[in-house]
Amino acid sequence: MNQMDDQARMAWLTEELNRHIYAYHVQDAPTIPDAEYDKLFAELQRLEALHPELAKLDSPTSRVGAAPIPEFLQVRHSVPMLSLNNGFADEDIVAFDRRALEGLGSPLGSPLDAVQEIEYAAELKFDGLAINLRYENGVFVQAATRGDGATGEDVTVNIRTVRTIPLRLRGANPPAVLDVRGEVLMYKQDFAALNARQRAAGQKEFANPRNAAAGSLRQLDSRITASRNLRFFAYGVGALEGAAMPESHSALLDWYADLGVPVSKERAVVRAAAGLLAYYADIGARRAGLDYEIDGVVYKVNRVEQQEQLGFVSRAPRFALAHKFPAEEALTEVLGIEVQVGRTGAITPVARLAPVFVGGVTVTNATLHNEDEVRRKDIRIGDSVIVRRAGDVIPEVVAFVPERRPIDAREFVMPTACPVCGSNIVKGEDEVIARCSGGWTHCAAQKKGGLMHFVSRRALDVEGLGEQLIEQLVDKGLIHTALDLYKLGPEQLAGLDRMAAKSAQNVLDALEKSKQTTFARFVYGLGIRHVGESTAKALANHFGGLDALLHGATWEAGIQLLEVADVGPVVARSITEFMSDPDNAALVRALRDEAGLRWTEGAHVQKAAPSPLAGKTFVLTGTLPNLSRDEAAALIEAAGGKVAGSVSKKTGYVVAGADAGSKLVKAQELGIALLDEAALLALLATSRAAAEPAIPETNQATSPAITEATTEATTEATTEVETHDKN
C-alpha cells in the first residue's frame, strides 16, 4: 500500500482498537478474542514503525488500558502499571533474548559477550483482574485496579473480602510503603460452584473464571464479592519505601512469601532462550491440570540492576515479555446453516458443524449473529472453518480456510419465510436483524419466547415454570397465550414429562401467587418490543392503570405516550402497534378480567429522578455491530436523550459505527464526544443507575433491546496489570 492507504488503515486500526480497549477494560465485555486483538495491534505497530510521523496521540500503542468506570473512586498510582509486549512463536522468544543481550552490552564499548547468558524469572500469566495493593507500615490500606495504567478504580472494600490477601504483613520490620502488584482470580472449581448457584437462582452464568473474578471484584455491594471465593497471586512491585529492593525478581517473590503475600509455586529461574522455551513447553503440557486459568507465561530479566539498564519503551518494559498460548481453536466443517427464531421474531443464522472438541467441550453449533455477519465473513456451507471457543460459552466461527473451500460450497440464503410458522421474514430500513412477521399469535417460537418472558423472574415471577415445561405445554396445544396458563389444571401438568402431582401443584401455586403483582411488572411481562423494566415503570407511573394505558396507546391518542419521560417516537410506535392489535388488547384485558391478575390501580410508584441524559442530543452515524439505528435511538430516548439527524455545536454525543461518514468528520472538527456501541451502552447503563429509584420488587432495569443485542456483554472482565495484562 502507498502512504495514503497506510494512513487510512492506521486511522481505522486506531479507532477499532480503542473501541475494543474500552469494551474490554471499562465494560468488562470483550468484543473480540485476544488473538484477533493481538493481530490488529501488531499490524498497527508495524505501520507506525514504517510511518512514525503518522502515529497519533490516541494510538493504542502509546497507552495502556482505558479509563476506570465512573461508579468507583479513582486512585492515582504512585508508579504506573504498565503492560507487556507479546510473543507468540519461538522466534519471538529468541529475538527477545537477543535484544536483551544487546541492551546489556557495556555502554563503554565492551564486547557483546560481556554478558553471555541472561538469567530470567519465568512465571505464569494469570487470567484474572490486575490489582495494586498498598501496605503502609505493614498494614493493608488500599487496593486499586490497573485502570488506564496511571489511574485505577478504588476497590479496597471488596479486596478486604478476599481471604488470601493479608491485611497485615508478617515480620517485625515491614516497609513504610509497599505496593504489591498481582492478579485476583477464581479457581476453576469455585467458578463451577458459582455458576451452579447462578443456575439454581435463575441468574445469568459467567462465561469463564476471568469474567467471574472481575465481575465479582467490581461489585458495588461488597457482600456479593464476599460470597465468591476469590484468590490472589502477587508478581510485581510498585512503590517501595523504607526497605531495600531485592536484587532479583525471584528474590522479590521469595520476600513476598515471607511477608505472607501469596505467590504461585509455578515459577522458575532459567537461562537464555532455551530455558524460556523449555519452561513454556512444560507449563503448556500441564496447563489443563492447573487449578486456575492462564493464557500464557511471562519472562522477566531476573536481576533488578539489569532491568534498570534495559529500561522501558513507551508502554512496556524492555526486560519482560508475555509468551501467549494460542487461542483454543479447532478446524471443522460447516454442514449447514439454519436459522433460529427469537422472542421478538429475530432471525439468527446458526452454523451446524461437524462435531469438534474445542475449549473443553464438543461443539456442534456456532452462532453467526445475522445475515450481514455471514456475508462479511463469507461463510459457506461445505467450508472448512476455524472455530474458537477459548473458554467462552458461545463458540465463534472465526473464518473459513480459503485453500480448503470445495468447488460446490454453497452460499447461505436467508429464508423469506419463517421456518417455524411460514410467515414472511422482513428487515426494516437501517435494520441489521431480520424478523419473522408472524408475531406470537402465529409463530410457536415467538409464542414460547414470549411466555418464557411473561413468567420470568423480573416479570410475573412464576417459580418452577421453566423452558422445558413451556415447550411441552405449547407443543401439546395446552396453552396458546399467557391467559391459558391460568386455566391449567393439575391433571394437565402432571401428565407432562418430569412432572408429578406435587411438582404440578407447586406450579399452580406459583401461578396463583403471581396474580398479585405490580402494574410495572405486568407491563414489562407483556414483552412489548423496546419496553424494558425502566420504560414499564415510567408507563406505570404515568398512566397508573390498564384502561388509561390502553386508551393512551391508541393511534388517536398516541401523543400521550410522548409525554412519558422514558418514551420517544420509536418506543411510542412500538407500544401503539402492540396495544392497537385486537388480539393483544383482548389478551391484556382478559389477564386482568378473567385470570384475575391484580395490582394497585392509580397508585403511582415513586417517580424516577431526572435522567442525567435529559436534554442531551445524540447523532447516529455508520453501522453499529449489534444495534440497528431504531434500536439505538429507542434506548437513547428511553434514557431521556434526543436523537437528531445532523451534527451541530449543540450535539452532545455522536455514536459512530462502521463506515461512518461526514457526520463523524464534522464531530471531530467540532470536538464533540464520540461513542461506539459499547461506550453508548455503558453510558446508558450509568444513566439508568443514577436515575432510577430502588424498587423492592424488582432489580435494576435492563432493556430487552440491550439484552438481545449484547447477550454476552455483562460484567465480563479484563486482566490488565503492570506485567501480566492483555493489551
Side-chain angles (χ1 to χ4, degrees):
M1 293 190 295
N2 59 37
Q3 182 167 329
M4 291 186 64
D5 290 336
D6 284 353
Q7 186 173 9
R9 181 67 176 172
M10 290 168 68
W12 181 87
L13 286 167
T14 297
E15 181 178 353
E16 189 75 355
L17 287 166
N18 280 332
R19 182 170 70 85
H20 294 311
I21 287 170
Y22 186 91
Y24 191 104
H25 292 269
V26 177
Q27 294 187 300
D28 294 336
T31 49
I32 59 172
D34 290 345
E36 294 299 307
Y37 179 95
D38 292 332
K39 290 178 183 176
L40 297 176
F41 191 91
E43 182 182 357
L44 182 58
Q45 281 184 311
R46 180 182 63 80
L47 290 173
E48 288 182 345
L50 287 174
H51 309 290
E53 74 282 0
L54 299 179
K56 302 295 184 182
L57 292 177
D58 65 340
S59 171
T61 64
S62 64
R63 55 173 284 186
V64 182
I69 60 178
E71 287 85 349
F72 295 96
L73 296 176
Q74 297 186 11
V75 175
R76 186 80 177 174
H77 297 304
S78 299
V79 177
M81 297 179 72
L82 301 179
S83 65
L84 287 181
N85 288 322
N86 294 321
F88 300 93
D90 288 0
E91 51 264 35
D92 296 333
I93 310 310
V94 173
F96 165 68
D97 179 55
R98 183 179 65 251
R99 290 194 302 271
L101 279 169
E102 293 171 351
L104 293 176
S106 170
L108 300 178
S110 296
L112 184 61
D113 62 3
V115 179
Q116 294 185 358
E117 279 190 344
I118 297 176
E119 185 181 80
Y120 294 98
E123 54 194 326
L124 305 181
K125 188 174 187 298
F126 304 108
D127 211 4
L129 184 70
I131 293 293
N132 184 89
L133 308 177
R134 169 152 289 209
Y135 291 85
E136 293 179 0
N137 298 313
V139 178
F140 169 72
V141 295
Q142 189 179 66
T145 64
R146 187 180 145 303
D148 63 0
T151 303
E153 301 147 0
D154 190 328
V155 289
T156 305
V157 175
N158 290 346
I159 280 292
R160 288 184 182 277
T161 70
V162 181
R163 294 185 178 91
T164 59
I165 294 177
L167 299 182
R168 181 182 293 274
L169 300 176
R170 291 200 299 245
N173 298 301
V177 174
L178 173 62
D179 283 347
V180 176
R181 290 177 174 175
E183 201 95 353
V184 170
L185 47 82
M186 184 176 288
Y187 276 25
K188 295 174 185 176
Q189 63 184 30
D190 298 324
F191 169 73
L194 172 61
N195 267 351
R197 295 196 300 271
Q198 295 289 104
R199 283 193 300 273
Q203 297 176 349
K204 179 179 173 59
E205 295 180 44
F206 290 93
N208 51 51
R210 179 198 69 204
N211 300 335
S216 300
L217 192 57
R218 282 176 154 171
Q219 293 290 329
L220 298 180
D221 184 349
S222 62
R223 292 170 296 183
I224 297 176
T225 310
S227 70
R228 299 171 181 176
N229 197 12
L230 299 178
R231 318 287 182 116
F232 174 82
F233 286 124
Y235 53 66
V237 63
L240 176 60
E241 300 172 11
M245 179 70 74
E247 293 182 353
S248 67
H249 183 74
S250 58
L252 171 70
L253 298 186
D254 291 341
W255 182 46
Y256 278 166
D258 292 338
L259 294 174
V261 177
V263 292
S264 172
K265 295 181 295 184
E266 303 293 342
R267 62 187 196 275
V269 175
V270 300
R271 301 186 72 85
L276 297 176
L277 294 173
Y279 177 81
Y280 178 84
D282 175 59
I283 295 298
R286 296 190 291 114
R287 178 186 183 188
L290 296 175
D291 292 331
Y292 38 80
E293 296 284 357
I294 60 173
D295 58 359
V297 298
V298 173
Y299 311 133
K300 300 172 186 173
V301 173
N302 195 31
R303 304 294 300 178
V304 171
E305 62 179 359
Q306 291 180 337
Q307 292 182 6
E308 293 173 349
Q309 185 175 342
L310 290 169
F312 298 81
V313 292
S314 60
R315 63 180 300 275
R318 290 190 178 93
F319 58 81
L321 185 76
H323 191 176
K324 301 183 76 171
F325 291 125
E328 294 181 301
E329 297 176 342
L331 193 66
T332 188
E333 181 185 350
V334 178
L335 302 179
I337 299 178
E338 302 173 2
V339 296
Q340 292 180 341
V341 186
R343 174 178 67 84
T344 63
I347 304 295
T348 303
V350 176
R352 304 301 183 193
L353 307 171
V356 61
F357 192 77
V358 57
V361 299
T362 299
V363 171
T364 57
N365 302 319
T367 180
L368 293 169
H369 302 292
N370 54 62
E371 185 180 12
D372 291 348
E373 182 74 358
V374 180
R375 301 281 175 260
R376 185 182 70 81
K377 290 185 175 180
D378 191 21
I379 305 299
R380 302 183 187 182
I381 300 167
D383 273 344
S384 293
V385 294
I386 299 169
V387 178
R388 174 182 291 122
R389 189 165 182 274
D392 294 331
V393 173
I394 300 178
E396 174 193 21
V397 176
V398 179
F400 77 98
V401 182
E403 57 270 25
R404 294 197 178 196
R405 168 166 284 173
I407 58 174
D408 60 347
R410 293 178 288 124
E411 292 190 16
F412 167 70
V413 178
M414 175 67 80
T416 58
C418 173
V420 177
C421 70
S423 299
N424 289 336
I425 291 176
V426 297
K427 185 190 289 188
E429 187 177 355
D430 290 333
E431 289 265 358
V432 173
I433 300 173
R435 297 179 188 276
C436 165
S437 61
W440 64 267
T441 55
H442 296 92
C443 184
Q446 294 184 61
K447 184 179 298 182
K448 293 173 183 177
L451 288 166
M452 281 300 303
H453 178 77
F454 182 79
V455 302
S456 65
R457 183 171 57 86
R458 292 177 175 175
L460 275 293
D461 192 19
V462 184
E463 188 175 352
L465 194 52
E467 183 176 358
Q468 290 185 345
L469 200 54
I470 292 287
E471 289 263 357
Q472 291 186 70
L473 288 167
V474 173
D475 290 343
K476 292 179 181 294
L478 296 175
I479 60 173
H480 300 281
T481 71
L483 178 65
D484 296 328
L485 291 170
Y486 295 96
K487 298 178 180 180
L488 289 170
E491 299 83 4
Q492 293 169 303
L493 286 170
L496 300 176
D497 293 342
R498 301 183 182 180
M499 291 291 288
K502 182 174 177 56
S503 53
Q505 189 58 50
N506 288 339
V507 171
L508 293 175
D509 291 343
L511 282 165
E512 187 64 30
K513 180 182 177 182
S514 73
K515 291 180 180 179
Q516 189 60 46
T517 185
T518 67
F519 189 35
R521 278 179 175 266
F522 176 74
V523 173
Y524 174 64
L526 295 176
I528 304 170
R529 192 175 172 200
H530 300 315
V531 176
E533 289 179 88
S534 176
T535 305
K537 291 174 190 175
L539 291 167
N541 280 339
H542 185 85
F543 291 102
L546 182 56
D547 292 330
L549 172 59
L550 285 168
H551 173 73
T554 61
W555 290 111
E556 296 77 15
I559 190 68
Q560 292 186 28
L561 289 170
L562 297 177
E563 299 172 1
V564 182
D566 275 6
V567 176
V570 174
V571 179
R573 183 170 64 251
S574 180
I575 297 169
T576 301
E577 288 175 349
F578 182 92
M579 293 297 186
S580 297
D581 183 291
D583 290 328
N584 290 338
L587 173 63
V588 169
R589 287 193 174 95
L591 284 167
R592 179 191 63 184
D593 300 337
E594 297 180 34
L597 269 64
R598 290 289 179 266
W599 49 83
T600 304
E601 293 270 353
H604 298 189
V605 297
Q606 178 187 358
K607 287 190 178 290
S611 168
L613 298 184
K616 297 288 186 182
T617 300
F618 292 72
V619 172
L620 301 168
T621 180
T623 302
L624 299 179
N626 296 298
L627 297 174
S628 69
R629 289 199 186 184
D630 277 352
E631 289 168 332
L635 295 175
I636 291 167
E637 290 164 352
K642 299 178 181 179
V643 179
S646 58
V647 178
S648 70
K649 292 181 179 179
K650 295 182 179 180
T651 302
Y653 301 94
V654 168
V655 183
D659 301 320
S662 59
K663 294 177 184 177
L664 176 59
V665 175
K666 187 170 183 181
Q668 292 170 325
E669 291 173 351
L670 295 176
I672 294 169
L674 299 177
L675 303 174
D676 58 13
E677 182 182 289
L680 171 65
L681 293 176
L683 180 64
L684 293 171
T686 303
S687 172
R688 287 198 308 275
E692 290 184 8
I695 299 178
E697 69 267 18
T698 187
N699 290 338
Q700 283 283 348
T702 303
S703 165
I706 294 180
T707 303
E708 182 180 0
T710 58
T711 51
E712 295 304 306
T714 53
T715 52
E716 302 188 348
T718 170
T719 321
E720 283 4 76
V721 82
E722 174 195 22
T723 55
H724 295 220
D725 82 302
K726 313 275 185 216
N727 294 299

